[in-house]
DNA sequence: CTGAAAGCGCTTACAG
DNA sequence: CTGAAAGCGCTTACAG
């Protein structure tokens, strides 16, 4: 790719003049400018932004540390992130720190070495720990954590009101007369833990006993194990009349298990999801779920990160740590109904 | 962030010595080296890879131009891409050129200005054209196109055997005795066009007439309009006994429409999907579909791109344009069954 | 073993 | 209006 130096040679002028001409700076004769611009265009000159990054000490690049790309919810957040970054003129460098990549490799280094101005981080399924946390701490620029937090997380966090959402879903079931309610969760993630807490809170509030054998966990997308677990729960002689699940995919697996056991949803079993993913509506019965707003989470996280970056470069007082949790909303559809065996 | 120059000052040695010490190059005294390394570690020195990019004329960065992130299939390809790039020590810069971002903005420029060594491109829903194609042509490094091609596409392409896959699905329906077969496609995309061709080919091969009114198109993920279109088709007095659809989401919408009209799948209506997304199995009935391998597409595309990049820098003869289409496979599940009204 | 210098591609005061 | 020079953070021959 042609450089300013090359153009200078071609035009028989100095580097500085070319720089000014192309940068639209004053102090270049009209004829010279035109000549330079023509040559630049002919050779398809593009300014080298890597150089600018070095000179300004600001790369205008954000690091996005992703976990998985085949997940609609994560995808929604990423969409929001990119919209916001684009508007603010930031580019994005993406890394993938799945188990396959992780293997002890310190992927964060590449972000630091490329001098990203900040990091938007989707925590890996297992919370970061040890030398890995050290990596994070030694990163000099702002970090924002999305969706999943971990105990003692020292960074700004943007996510959903998971506890409240789970509470809504559970209370919805309780209001329908259900008392034998199972929870098929995902407690090794922080959202899973919170949703479990919301479940517990609702049950306690209404003085309903929680059966430990009905509190189980699915592993990870696409949550195929949820099918087996749901079956186990539903095959028992004493079975719940409702299952509150971690998310819509788990709900779907649960509904499949019920179906295969000859149980009708919602007549024989009510099921709630979480997330309001795009499968929640085309499926029959449509899934009663808790709506989240992944794109808005992404947008806010990106905005927040940019604020931090700008505050830092302007030497403003370091803003206080925030925890921003977007509201969730119950969407009642077809997978829940009044309890048949209600008193 | 601390620089080599800073370390040199602190240690009272020259820049070059520090560079050698940290780079593990010979020609530095053991004591000096140790002193330098200690200071570097204390201050958390990280080499500035932007500088290397400039010096070597190779950024070791790949541009990934994405369309949407909330799509499982695209996500699978991206996963494969990242796996491969990571192994080959490339980083990735991602841009998002959805309709919202596009708006005439030439997003490709940022890729060129950041000097990415190559581009992995998911074409936007509407084929690139005009000045947009000029942008592509003026990009000096290799470009590989994934999944969707457009007429006259001048780049290496990696995708699926869409025509063959659609042929498999359609012939499966024909073998089951179906003769009144509708196609709910997505012809404004190249995969949609190909799947339609496969459908036509199968029908022609077996001498079955195609009813134009039964060949319709859905728009884009999450394909909510497919529900309405499927209903329109199924509400007619004369309705098909099977619908071959563009993908699993469209199949799901079609099944929902059938369900809401009191039609049982597969007894009254057979439906095929495409893609074998993760919803295909937990749904009841499970979707008969055509399996693709998005991750492998991603991996091959990334490999191919890296080959091209390396070939280029080694001044090898420019490799010939390739079109690599991965095989597809029919997966028969529960959404298809012998035609009831078969002769 | 150590340092001074050129160079990668640029911008920006500062001279002429 | 134009150019020479310093500097961003590095690497790499080349002197000492």
């Amino acid at each position: 790719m042609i450089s300013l130096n090359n153009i200078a040679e071609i035009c028989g002028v100095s580097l500085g003049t070319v720089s000014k001409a192309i940068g639209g700076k004053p102090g270049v004769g009209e004829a010279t400018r035109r000549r330079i611009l023509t040559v630049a265009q002919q050779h398809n000159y593009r300014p080298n932004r890597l150089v600018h990054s070095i000179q300004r000490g600001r790369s205008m690049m954000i690091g996005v540390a992703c976990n998985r790309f085949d997940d609609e919810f994560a995808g929604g957040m990423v969409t929001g992130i990119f919209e916001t970054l684009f508007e603010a003129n930031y580019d994005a460098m993406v890394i993938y720190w799945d188990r396959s990549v992780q293997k002890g490799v310190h992927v964060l280094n590449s972000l630091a070495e490329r001098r990203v101005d900040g990091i938007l981080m989707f925590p890996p399924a297992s919370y970061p720990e040890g030398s890995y946390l050290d990596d994070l701490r030694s990163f000099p620029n702002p970090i924002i954590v999305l969706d999943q937090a971990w105990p003692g997380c020292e960074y700004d966090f943007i996510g959903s009101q998971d506890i409240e959402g789970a509470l809504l879903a559970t209370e919805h079931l309780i209001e329908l007369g259900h008392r034998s309610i199972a929870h098929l969760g995902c407690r090794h993630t922080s959202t899973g833990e919170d949703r479990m807490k919301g479940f517990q809170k609702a049950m306690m509030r209404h003085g309903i006993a929680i059966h430990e054998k009905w509190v189980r966990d699915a592993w990870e997308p696409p949550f195929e194990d949820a099918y087996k677990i749901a079956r186990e729960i539903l095959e028992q002689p004493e079975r719940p009349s409702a299952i509150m699940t971690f998310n819509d995919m788990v709900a779907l697996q649960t509904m499949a298990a019920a179906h295969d056991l000859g149980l009708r949803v919602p007549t024989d079993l009510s099921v709630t999801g979480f997330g309001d993913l795009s499968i929640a509506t085309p499926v029959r019965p449509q899934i009663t779920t808790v709506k989240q707003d992944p794109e808005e989470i992404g947008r806010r996280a990106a905005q927040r990160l940019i604020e931090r970056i700008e505050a830092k470069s302007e030497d403003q007082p370091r803003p206080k740590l925030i925890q921003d949790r977007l509201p969730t909303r119950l969407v009642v559809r077809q997978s829940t109904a009044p309890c048949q065996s209600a008193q």
Side-chain angles (χ1 to χ4, degrees), chain A residues 47-63:
Chain A
N48 189 330
R49 293 242 266 151
L50 301 175
V51 175
H52 297 176
S53 299
I54 295 173
Q55 292 183 141
R56 308 231 168 99
R58 283 266 251 108
S59 63
M60 293 304 284
M61 264 264 184
I62 298 299

Side-chain angles (χ1 to χ4, degrees), chain A residues 33-299:
Chain A
R33 161 162 278 137
R34 222 183 306 255
R35 192 151 40 97
I36 293 172
L37 255 28
T38 309
V39 172
Q41 196 149 42
Q42 278 169 355
H43 291 79
N44 234 297
Y45 173 76
R46 301 257 174 254
N48 189 330
R49 293 242 266 151
L50 301 175
V51 175
H52 297 176
S53 299
I54 295 173
Q55 292 183 141
R56 308 231 168 99
R58 283 266 251 108
S59 63
M60 293 304 284
M61 264 264 184
I62 298 299
V64 183
C66 291
N67 259 307
R68 42 189 322 134
F69 298 107
D70 57 354
D71 178 85
E72 187 185 333
F73 188 77
M77 292 190 281
V78 173
T79 305
I81 288 172
F82 272 80
E83 254 177 40
T84 306
L85 291 187
F86 179 79
E87 277 164 24
N89 236 300
Y90 280 87
D91 289 321
M93 169 173 167
V94 175
I95 63 166
Y96 174 54
W97 59 10
D98 191 353
R99 2 176 200 308
S100 68
V101 163
Q102 212 163 345
K103 290 176 183 161
V105 186
H106 284 213
V107 280
L108 239 39
N109 282 344
S110 60
L111 254 24
E113 292 175 1
R114 298 272 186 191
R115 299 293 190 265
V116 296
D117 292 331
I119 297 180
L120 255 13
M121 175 169 142
F122 295 86
S126 44
Y127 300 141
E129 51 181 22
S131 65
Y132 188 61
L133 273 180
D134 293 341
D135 273 1
L136 282 176
R137 287 209 194 89
S138 75
F139 181 74
N141 293 332
I143 298 176
I144 309 268
V145 174
L146 286 90
D147 189 43
Q148 304 275 346
W150 62 88
C153 167
E154 309 155 30
Y155 307 99
D156 280 354
F157 170 81
I158 321 277
S160 305
Q161 293 180 359
D162 289 294
I163 299 182
E164 295 77 359
L167 193 97
L168 287 175
T170 313
E171 290 206 310
H172 165 65
L173 293 173
I174 294 172
E175 273 163 29
L176 287 171
H178 295 280
R179 293 297 175 271
S180 309
I181 308 177
H183 176 55
L184 217 174
C186 192
R187 274 172 294 178
H188 58 98
T189 64
S190 75
T191 45
E193 239 188 277
D194 280 351
R195 291 173 200 176
M196 155 72 148
K197 279 184 200 157
F199 169 73
Q200 289 173 326
K201 203 165 162 184
M203 296 293 267
M204 286 179 69
R205 183 182 285 178
H206 294 266
I208 305 172
I210 294 174
H211 293 274
E212 273 318 311
K213 62 175 176 181
W214 286 351
V215 177
R216 301 286 300 278
D217 286 294
W219 182 234
E220 64 171 24
F223 299 106
E224 277 154 357
D225 56 341
Y227 176 82
K228 240 188 62 193
I229 299 172
R231 257 191 104 113
E232 280 172 28
I233 295 174
L234 295 171
E235 273 172 344
Q236 302 299 318
E238 189 200 19
R239 59 171 174 76
S241 67
I243 304 188
M244 182 261 180
T245 73
F246 172 65
N247 72 7
D248 293 345
M249 272 311 271
V250 175
L252 193 58
Q253 298 282 2
T254 302
M255 283 161 52
H259 177 275
D260 293 354
L261 290 171
L263 297 172
R264 288 157 302 166
V265 176
T267 321
D268 303 319
L269 180 76
S270 282
V271 177
T272 65
F274 208 108
D276 199 17
L277 304 181
S278 64
I279 45 147
T281 32
V283 150
R284 294 296 177 270
Q286 297 187 321
I287 303 176
T288 292
T289 190
V290 176
K291 190 178 185 58
Q292 297 176 270
D293 192 346
E295 295 199 16
E296 181 63 16
I297 293 177
R299 266 179 245 123

